[in-house]
């Protein structure tokens, strides 16, 4: 790319360089979180020579993304409720180490609401925002949660109303993550913290697999590294408190079924073998070190 092309969303540098040719269609399932269309994005990926951040170019239009996320529906995460709740409890433990108070928690992009349900059980008062009609309805109807079917930029939320804001696997979906940080900073009370979970495009696994990394998906428009997410946060006036890996707990079956994105035959064979030896439904949280959690706090002037 030349100097008149798009600028890096993390540091503002222009002159982003071609990195991975992965442009393709989102597919019949749209932008669901459980897709196995590895190696396909909605445009090619460019890389910042200054901070290493990667992003799509051109960036998809807002209207396309908004409609696709509103329509997104998948029962796969619902079936994995036990593992999702275990993953949520681990996240909440981290949040509670850093938050000044543990009263009001907001989950932006909460999907079906398992983290909110776990937070409620720990004594938090909880609110969620989720654009998917399917997922937000599940959170309300099945879990009894206060979840609004809205967008994080437009939802009517009180300023300085929350002690913690959660964005689990959200930042990588946003064409303008810096605007999201500004919005979140205004929503947090003094002493409040934000918890982010997102793929680590600078990890050894991501670098080794390249375009075939399982986080190169139609749902992702940003590809952060640990360096570039720190840069983004600092640029927008945030203090980084902690960065660590963030493995997810799913059944062995779920993980083996994801192999279908590489080889359907291998996936079927592996699932069958795991079932025969009684391992298919066992919870598993392998740490491939390619998903990170970041805790940060806005700096107050």
């Amino acid at each position: 790319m030349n100097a008149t092309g798009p600028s890096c969303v993390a540091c503002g540098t222009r002159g982003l360089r071609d990195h991975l040719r992965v442009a393709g269609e989102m597919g019949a399932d749209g932008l669901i979180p459980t897709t196995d269309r590895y190696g396909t994005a909605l445009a090619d990926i460019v890389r910042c020579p200054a901070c290493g951040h990667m992003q799509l170019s051109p960036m998809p239009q807002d209207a396309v993304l908004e409609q696709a996320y509103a329509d997104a529906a998948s029962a796969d995460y619902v079936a994995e409720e036990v593992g999702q709740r275990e993953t949520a409890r681990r996240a909440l433990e981290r949040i509670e180490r850093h938050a000044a108070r543990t009263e009001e928690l907001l989950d932006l992009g909460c999907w079906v609401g398992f983290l909110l349900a776990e937070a409620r059980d720990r004594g938090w008062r909880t609110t969620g925002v989720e654009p998917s009609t399917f997922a937000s309805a599940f959170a309300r109807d099945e879990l009894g949660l206060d979840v609004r079917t809205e967008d994080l930029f437009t939802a009517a939320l009180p300023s300085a109303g929350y002690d913690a804001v959660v964005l689990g696997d959200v930042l990588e979906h946003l064409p303008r993550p810096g605007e999201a940080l500004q919005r979140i900073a205004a929503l947090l009370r003094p002493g409040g913290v934000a918890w982010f979970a997102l793929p680590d495009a600078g990890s050894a696994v991501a670098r080794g697999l390249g375009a075939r990394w399982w986080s190169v998906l139609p749902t992702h428009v940003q590809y952060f590294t640990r360096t570039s997410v720190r840069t983004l946060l600092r640029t927008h006036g945030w203090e980084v408190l902690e960065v660590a890996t963030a493995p997810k707990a799913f059944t062995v079956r779920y993980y083996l079924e994801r192999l279908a994105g590489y080889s359907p035959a291998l996936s079927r064979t592996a699932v069958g073998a795991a079932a025969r030896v009684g391992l298919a439904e066992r919870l598993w949280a392998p740490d491939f070190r390619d998903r990170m959690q970041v805790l940060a706090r806005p700096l107050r002037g």
Side-chain angles (χ1 to χ4, degrees):
M1 303 294 294
N2 58 43
T4 61
S7 59
C8 173
V9 303
C11 72
T13 296
R14 290 192 177 272
L16 306 186
R17 298 172 182 171
D18 294 339
H19 183 59
L20 294 174
R21 294 192 177 278
V22 292
E25 300 296 324
M26 69 177 68
D29 290 334
L31 301 185
I32 62 171
T34 51
T35 184
D36 58 11
R37 290 176 57 80
Y38 314 137
T40 301
L42 298 183
D44 288 333
I45 297 172
V46 294
R47 186 175 186 276
C48 176
C51 74
H53 181 68
M54 291 154 270
Q55 62 193 63
L56 298 192
S57 180
M59 197 63 69
Q61 295 181 351
D62 287 354
V64 173
L65 295 176
E66 288 167 5
Q67 187 60 56
Y69 287 126
D71 294 340
S74 172
D76 290 354
Y77 269 27
V78 175
E80 293 287 329
E81 179 173 357
V82 174
Q84 290 291 285
R85 285 178 175 270
E86 172 60 27
T87 302
R89 287 191 290 271
R90 296 178 187 182
L92 290 163
E93 288 172 2
R94 296 270 185 165
I95 292 167
E96 290 164 0
R97 293 178 196 173
H98 294 283
R101 292 185 295 183
T102 56
E103 297 176 4
E104 299 283 349
L105 181 143
L106 172 67
D107 191 343
L108 295 173
C110 63
W111 195 237
V112 294
F114 292 138
L115 184 142
L116 286 171
E118 287 295 321
R120 180 180 59 189
D121 290 348
R122 298 167 78 97
W124 291 86
R125 292 187 294 272
T126 62
T127 305
V129 175
E130 171 53 52
S132 164
T133 302
F134 159 82
S136 56
F138 181 94
R140 288 190 298 270
D141 299 342
E142 302 299 326
L143 301 179
L145 294 165
D146 175 10
V147 171
R148 295 92 183 270
T149 310
E150 296 185 72
D151 177 84
L152 73 88
F153 290 105
T154 58
L157 299 166
S159 297
Y162 303 97
D163 302 296
V165 176
V166 170
L167 285 89
D169 300 297
V170 171
L171 209 61
E172 66 271 26
H173 299 260
L174 303 179
R176 297 177 301 282
E179 292 182 16
L181 294 181
Q182 293 169 359
R183 165 81 156 146
I184 296 161
L187 295 172
L188 282 168
R189 293 171 173 169
V193 298
W195 179 88
F196 308 91
L198 62 160
D200 181 355
S203 64
V205 167
R207 295 195 310 271
L209 289 175
R212 292 296 286 159
W213 180 38
W214 44 73
S215 284
V216 177
L217 299 171
T219 59
H220 295 165
V221 301
Q222 309 288 353
Y223 292 85
F224 287 95
T225 68
R226 292 192 176 209
T227 296
S228 72
V229 76
R230 285 179 180 273
T231 299
L232 176 76
L233 287 159
R234 285 197 301 267
T235 298
H236 290 276
W238 287 70
E239 174 191 9
V240 177
L241 304 173
E242 182 180 1
V243 180
T245 59
K248 285 184 176 182
F250 287 109
T251 60
V252 170
R253 177 188 299 277
Y254 178 91
Y255 275 113
L256 296 180
E257 287 176 343
R258 302 279 75 73
L259 291 174
Y262 297 107
S263 170
L266 174 61
S267 176
R268 289 192 298 271
T269 299
V271 170
R276 285 192 296 274
V277 298
L279 295 177
E281 307 310 319
R282 182 172 297 181
L283 280 187
W284 187 30
D287 191 353
F288 300 111
R289 306 190 68 79
D290 70 329
R291 183 173 183 263
M292 55 181 158
Q293 58 182 316
V294 181
L295 286 117
R297 177 179 292 124
L299 297 169
R300 307 287 180 178

